[in-house]
Amino acid sequence: EGLISMGHARALLSADTPALQRQAWKIVTLRGLSVRETEALVAELTEKRAKLERLRDEVNRLQNTVSLLAQKATETQIARSIDLGQTSVVVMSPANTPTSPIKPNKQLNIAIAFVLGMMVFVALAFLLEHLDYTIKAPEDVEQHLELSVLAVIPVVNAKSARQSGY
């Protein structure tokens, strides 16, 4: 009687650990179950594994729900205990009022504005000098236009005009 009973084989194949299931499969194949019985056992094992996976997913979902509910319950208890009638506050040390304002630091702001303003104006002066293409001296005419100067109109201000009698 080398045959193992179908019920005993089902019990072995539905074991929880994969190692025990492998051993059960070896016993079933060595004991000489028919091909049809073996296929039925394999189909049953597959169904049980699928059912086990569904149950594990359900357990995980329920555990997540329980943890979420516990968190919400804790938040609700905290919100209820915030009522000032139930809460006691003990002052450890009185707050010190500052003697001078922390912000804004007017001297620092003025110094930064002065430095940044100087940097902008110096950059602007260099830019305007670089973009100035006007001719200011007779040498500029000779250098840039390669022409000779025929005459120069003198610059006359009010003081020099009075001295010369104009």
Side-chain angles (χ1 to χ4, degrees), residues 115-129:
V115 169
L116 288 176
M118 292 304 290
M119 289 171 58
V120 167
F121 287 125
V122 167
L124 184 64
F126 279 115
L127 178 69
L128 290 176
E129 184 64 30

Side-chain angles (χ1 to χ4, degrees), residues 28-83:
V28 167
T29 54
L30 290 175
R31 295 289 178 163
L33 282 178
S34 69
V35 174
R36 198 171 284 188
E37 289 174 328
T38 306
E39 288 174 354
L41 288 174
V42 168
E44 188 176 339
L45 178 63
T46 305
E47 283 179 31
K48 286 187 178 187
R49 282 187 181 162
K51 185 176 180 181
L52 178 65
E53 285 301 316
R54 283 193 305 270
L55 289 175
R56 284 183 182 160
D57 291 342
E58 183 71 15
V59 166
N60 287 338
R61 186 184 65 79
L62 290 174
Q63 285 175 343
N64 290 339
T65 303
V66 166
S67 66
L68 180 65
L69 288 174
Q71 179 184 0
K72 293 298 180 182
T74 304
E75 289 174 5
T76 303
Q77 287 175 349
I78 291 171
R80 285 184 187 163
S81 68
I82 289 180
D83 183 20

